Amino acid sequence: MKIQLNSVLFIATVFILAIEMSGTEAVTCNPVALSSCLSAIQSPSQAPSPTCCSNLRSQQPCLCGYLKNPFLRGYVNSPGSKRVASVCNVPTPNC
């Protein structure tokens, strides 16, 4: 139940922030695109999907902006996110 609640909260937060950030970030920055990585982030035994890796690569220029956002920072800095980024060959941003 806790994982499901976390998933719902994550997706809701990302959705709200995507709407909020659309005027302040580049049009290509869309944290909702990273929802395809959620299951791999939450489960160390699950490999990220090709869609996840593709979306993560497309969002790579936006990661520093996500790190500056207090609602997204914890997700981007989480061990699961770092593991997924590593598997997808997306370097950790140096902001």
Side-chain angles (χ1 to χ4, degrees), residues 5 38 40-41 51-53 63 66 73 87 91:
L5 180 59
L38 186 59
I41 290 169
T51 300
C52 166
C53 289
L63 295 178
Y66 299 161
R73 181 181 308 125
V87 170

Side-chain angles (χ1 to χ4, degrees), residues 38-47 80 83-84:
L38 186 59
S39 59
I41 290 169
Q42 291 180 334
S43 175
S45 63
Q46 185 170 352
R83 179 186 56 79
V84 168

Side-chain angles (χ1 to χ4, degrees), residues 6-53:
N6 285 341
S7 298
V8 170
L9 290 174
F10 173 77
I11 291 170
T13 300
V14 168
F15 181 73
I16 290 167
L17 290 171
I19 293 169
E20 183 177 296
M21 294 174 76
S22 64
T24 59
E25 293 285 327
V27 176
T28 58
C29 291
N30 180 7
V32 174
L34 299 178
S35 64
S36 61
C37 299
L38 186 59
S39 59
I41 290 169
Q42 291 180 334
S43 175
S45 63
Q46 185 170 352
S49 68
T51 300
C52 166
C53 289

